[in-house]
Amino acid sequence: MGEEKGFWTFICYSIIFLPVFVFLFVLGIIKCGVFSPIVLLIIACGDAAVVIGLCPVHLVWSIYCISRTEKFGPWMKCLMVLLVPLPIVLWMAVGVVGSVVMGIGYGFVWPVTETFNAVSKEDASVQAKILHCFTDGTWSCVVGACNVVRDFADFSYHSYFSMMEGLLEPTGEAPIELKVLQIPGSIFCSILGLLVDVPLIALIVLYKAPILLFKGWHQLIRDLIGREGPFLESVCVPFAGLLILCWPFVVLLAIFAGVLSSFLIGFHAGVVAYQESSTKKGLLFIVASLSLFDEYTNDYLYLREGSCFPRPRYREVTSPTSSVNSLKGPHDQSDLASKREPLIRSLSSKARELSALLIWDDFFDACENLGRELLAAGSVTLSDLEKWRRSESKIIHVGIPAYVFLECLVRSIKSGSPGFLLRSGVELTRLNRPEGRVFDWLFEPMSVMKEQLAGLSLRDSEEAYMYRYCLYSGDAARIKADGGCPPEDEIRRAQLEGICRRLQGFCLTLSRLPTSRRRFHQVVNEVEKEAMERAPSVSDDLLASLV
C-alpha cells in the first residue's frame, strides 16, 4: 500500500512539475524581455567606457613602470616597452566585446535564475514565494548591472595600479635580461612546434571527441537518476536537463578549445628553448608535448594511464615535486594537495558545504566589526579612513584584513579547531569548505601558517606585536606608538614578521578582486557612521563626504 501511494505521489509531482516549470520559465523570459535591454545598455556602455577611457592611462603608466623597475634588464625593458601597445589594444578589444556579451548573458540568466530561486526558498511561505516570483530578478537585476560596472571600474583602475606598484618595489634579485643570442633558436622551435603539434594534437582531439560525447551523456544520465552532480539542487534540474540536450555542442566547443590549445603548445616550444637556453630542449619539448597532451586528456576521460607517444626530458633542472606532479593527472594531484581530504565527498558532506558567499560576507563583517573596535580603541583614526579613500593608505584593504586572518588563526589554535574558527562562530574545515581554485589557493597556505603559529607557542606580547605589525604594515613608528614591542630574539622576530608579511600578501591579492573595493567602501562607511554617532562634534565637511 505504501509503495502504491508513493508511486501515485510521484505521478502527481510529475504532472504538476511541467506546468509550473513552463510558467516560471515564461515568467523569467518576460522579465528578460523587459529588463535585459536596460541591463545590456548599462553593462555594455559602462564597461566599454571604462576600457576606452583608461586605455591611455594604462599605456602611459605601463611604459613608466617598465622603464623604472629594477626587475628587468635594459634589453628586456626595450622589448617590453615596444610590445606594451599590443596587450593594451587586445585588452580594449576584448573588453568592449566582452562587455556586450556580459550584458546579454547577465540580462538573460539573472531574471530566469532568480525566478526559480524564489520557489526554492525553504523558509518563505507560499504567498511570499509567489510574490518573489514576480519581483525577484527585476530591479535587483538593474542594481546588479550597476555593481558589475562599478566592480569592473575598480578592477581596471585600483587593482591595475596596485599590481603595477609591485613592479616598482625594489628587489634583491638579479634583473631578468633578454637572451638575444637565443632568440633565433626560439623562433625556429616555435615555427616547427606549430607545424608538428597543431595537426597531431588536432588528430588526438578528433579521435577522443566521440569518447567525450558518450561518456558525458553516460555520466549526466547517471547523475539525473541518482540526483547527484548538477542535478543535486532542484533549481538546477531544468538547466542540467538542457545540458544533456546541448552536450554535443559542448563537445564541439571542446574540440575547438583543443585545436586552439595546440597553437599555444606549439608556440611554447620556443619558450622552453629560451628558458633553457638550448634549441635542442625546445625540439625535445615538441615531441614530449604530444605525450603530455595525450596523457592529460586520458586522465580527464578516465582512460588508460600513460601515453603511446615518447616523452623525452626537455628540462635540464626539475624539482622533485614538479617532476612528480607532471607525471600525475589532475585527480592524483588533488591527493598531493591534501592527503587528509577525502577524494569523493558524500551527499551529506556536500549538504554541509559552506557557501562561498557566506564566507565572503563573514569576512567583510569581521572587517567591519574589527574596524569599529580599532576605531574605538584609537588604533585606527578617521584620518586613516580618509587617506584610504584617497588611496594613500593600506590600512583598510591590507591591515585590517590581515588582522582578521591572524585573529582567526590564533582563535582556531586556542580552541583546538581542526580547521578555522571564524569570528561569527562558524567553523571552516576541509570537509565543509567550498570547492574551487580560490579556496584551494587560500586554504592550504593558511593551514601551513596555522601549524607554524601553533609550533611557535606565542606569548601575549608577541601576539600583540603581530597584530600591530599586520595592521600597520610594518610601520615601526605606529607599532611603537600603539604599544607594540618586538621580540628581542632576532630569529624569532623574523619568523613572526615573515608570517605577517605572508598574511599581508594574501590580503593584497584579495583586495584586487573585482568586488573587494566596493565591499571595503561599505566597511568604511559603516565604521564612519558609528564614529559620527559616538562623536557628534565631528566636522561638517567629513559628514558631507560620508553622504
Side-chain angles (χ1 to χ4, degrees):
M1 185 67 182
E3 295 180 357
E4 183 179 355
K5 183 178 179 180
F7 173 76
W8 287 110
T9 303
F10 175 77
I11 294 297
C12 292
Y13 274 120
S14 301
I15 295 174
I16 296 174
F17 173 78
L18 184 59
V20 171
F21 168 74
V22 172
F23 170 74
L24 294 176
F25 187 75
V26 172
L27 181 60
I29 293 297
I30 294 174
K31 294 179 185 178
C32 293
V34 175
F35 290 95
S36 59
I38 304 175
V39 172
L40 175 61
L41 186 65
I42 293 174
I43 295 180
C45 295
D47 288 355
V50 170
V51 171
I52 297 174
L54 291 178
C55 182
V57 179
H58 288 170
L59 179 62
V60 174
W61 189 250
S62 298
I63 294 175
Y64 171 78
C65 292
I66 291 173
S67 60
R68 292 294 302 274
T69 184
E70 299 177 359
K71 296 183 178 181
F72 305 111
W75 290 104
M76 181 63 75
K77 287 182 180 180
C78 293
L79 178 63
M80 294 181 68
V81 168
L82 293 176
L83 295 179
V84 158
L86 180 60
I88 297 295
V89 172
L90 290 177
W91 166 250
M92 184 170 60
V94 172
V96 172
V97 176
S99 63
V100 176
V101 175
M102 178 68 181
I104 296 174
Y106 191 88
F108 176 77
V109 174
W110 185 262
V112 176
T113 304
E114 286 297 299
T115 303
F116 281 98
N117 284 336
V119 182
S120 61
K121 294 180 179 179
E122 298 179 356
D123 299 334
S125 61
V126 177
Q127 293 82 358
K129 289 182 179 181
I130 296 175
L131 178 63
H132 283 291
C133 285
F134 290 92
T135 58
D136 289 0
T138 53
W139 180 249
S140 62
C141 187
V142 178
V143 175
C146 296
N147 288 333
V148 168
V149 176
R150 179 179 178 180
D151 293 338
F152 182 75
D154 290 337
F155 177 78
S156 301
Y157 185 79
H158 296 283
S159 299
Y160 165 77
F161 282 103
S162 176
M163 289 184 288
M164 295 306 294
E165 285 178 1
L167 287 177
L168 300 178
E169 295 178 357
T171 59
E173 302 177 356
I176 302 174
E177 188 53 277
L178 183 65
K179 304 174 185 177
V180 181
L181 298 179
Q182 188 56 40
I183 293 178
S186 301
I187 296 175
F188 172 74
C189 290
S190 295
I191 296 174
L192 188 61
L194 293 174
L195 295 176
V196 175
D197 286 344
V198 170
L200 292 180
I201 290 179
L203 290 177
I204 295 175
V205 170
L206 293 176
Y207 171 74
K208 295 183 179 181
I211 302 175
L212 176 62
L213 177 64
F214 290 106
K215 283 207 168 190
W217 267 337
H218 178 262
Q219 185 64 39
L220 288 172
I221 293 174
R222 284 185 58 186
D223 292 342
L224 176 61
I225 297 174
R227 293 301 300 273
E228 299 177 356
F231 301 93
L232 182 62
E233 298 291 339
S234 300
V235 68
C236 299
V237 171
F239 299 99
L242 186 63
L243 178 60
I244 295 179
L245 299 178
C246 298
W247 185 249
F249 298 99
V250 176
V251 175
L252 291 177
L253 291 176
I255 294 174
F256 175 76
V259 175
L260 183 63
S261 66
S262 64
F263 289 90
L264 301 178
I265 294 173
F267 179 79
H268 190 69
V271 177
V272 173
Y274 179 83
Q275 291 175 342
E276 298 295 326
S277 300
S278 172
T279 306
K280 178 182 177 181
K281 298 296 182 181
L283 298 176
L284 293 177
F285 174 79
I286 296 174
V287 180
S289 61
L290 299 175
S291 175
L292 292 171
F293 185 84
D294 185 37
E295 184 175 350
Y296 200 69
T297 52
N298 285 344
D299 289 335
Y300 272 107
L301 294 175
Y302 295 96
L303 301 176
R304 60 177 178 81
E305 295 183 359
S307 174
C308 60
F309 296 98
R311 183 187 296 179
R313 182 178 178 181
Y314 59 90
R315 292 287 186 185
E316 189 65 31
V317 179
T318 56
S319 62
T321 304
S322 62
S323 63
V324 172
N325 290 343
S326 63
L327 295 176
K328 290 183 176 289
H331 312 292
D332 297 327
Q333 290 184 18
S334 61
D335 298 341
L336 297 176
S338 175
K339 294 182 179 179
R340 291 176 291 177
E341 187 173 0
L343 288 176
I344 301 176
R345 295 185 179 184
S346 61
L347 290 177
S348 59
S349 64
K350 287 183 178 180
R352 295 193 304 267
E353 180 180 306
L354 295 177
S355 170
L357 183 61
L358 173 65
I359 299 176
W360 194 238
D361 291 339
D362 187 273
F363 168 70
F364 284 103
D365 290 341
C367 292
E368 179 181 332
N369 295 330
L370 180 62
R372 292 173 177 173
E373 296 173 4
L374 294 175
L375 188 65
S379 299
V380 176
T381 62
L382 290 175
S383 61
D384 292 327
L385 305 183
E386 288 302 312
K387 288 181 180 179
W388 179 82
R389 290 182 183 275
R390 299 192 299 267
S391 300
E392 298 176 359
S393 174
K394 296 182 179 180
I395 197 169
I396 298 297
H397 67 282
V398 175
I400 292 180
Y403 196 114
V404 169
F405 276 117
L406 180 60
E407 191 180 54
C408 177
L409 294 177
V410 174
R411 186 189 310 113
S412 303
I413 293 172
K414 291 182 178 180
S415 64
S417 171
F420 300 98
L421 188 61
L422 305 183
R423 193 181 180 96
S424 61
V426 177
E427 187 176 21
L428 179 66
T429 63
R430 295 181 183 273
L431 295 178
N432 67 351
R433 72 177 180 88
E435 297 180 351
R437 291 187 177 272
V438 175
F439 285 93
D440 292 340
W441 166 78
L442 186 62
F443 193 89
E444 295 301 329
M446 292 291 291
S447 300
V448 173
M449 282 189 284
K450 177 187 172 184
E451 295 177 359
Q452 292 175 346
L453 278 178
L456 290 175
S457 300
L458 296 177
R459 294 187 288 268
D460 292 340
S461 59
E462 295 173 340
E463 184 179 323
Y465 174 73
M466 291 186 69
Y467 281 133
R468 287 161 177 79
Y469 191 94
C470 288
L471 180 62
Y472 300 123
S473 299
D475 189 348
R478 295 203 64 176
I479 293 174
K480 185 177 180 180
D482 199 26
C485 182
E488 296 180 357
D489 188 357
E490 294 295 332
I491 297 178
R492 191 170 181 84
R493 177 179 178 179
Q495 291 175 337
L496 301 182
E497 293 180 356
I499 295 176
C500 293
R501 283 192 293 269
R502 289 190 64 189
L503 288 174
Q504 292 167 357
F506 279 122
C507 296
L508 183 61
T509 304
L510 289 176
S511 68
R512 294 168 180 169
L513 296 178
T515 60
S516 296
R517 183 79 182 180
R518 174 168 53 87
R519 298 297 298 270
F520 279 123
H521 264 290
Q522 296 174 358
V523 171
V524 171
N525 290 339
E526 293 298 325
V527 173
E528 284 186 344
K529 283 181 181 179
E530 182 163 336
M532 299 298 177
E533 295 174 357
R534 292 185 178 182
S537 60
V538 178
S539 63
D540 295 335
D541 295 337
L542 189 57
L543 183 60
S545 66
L546 176 62
V547 176

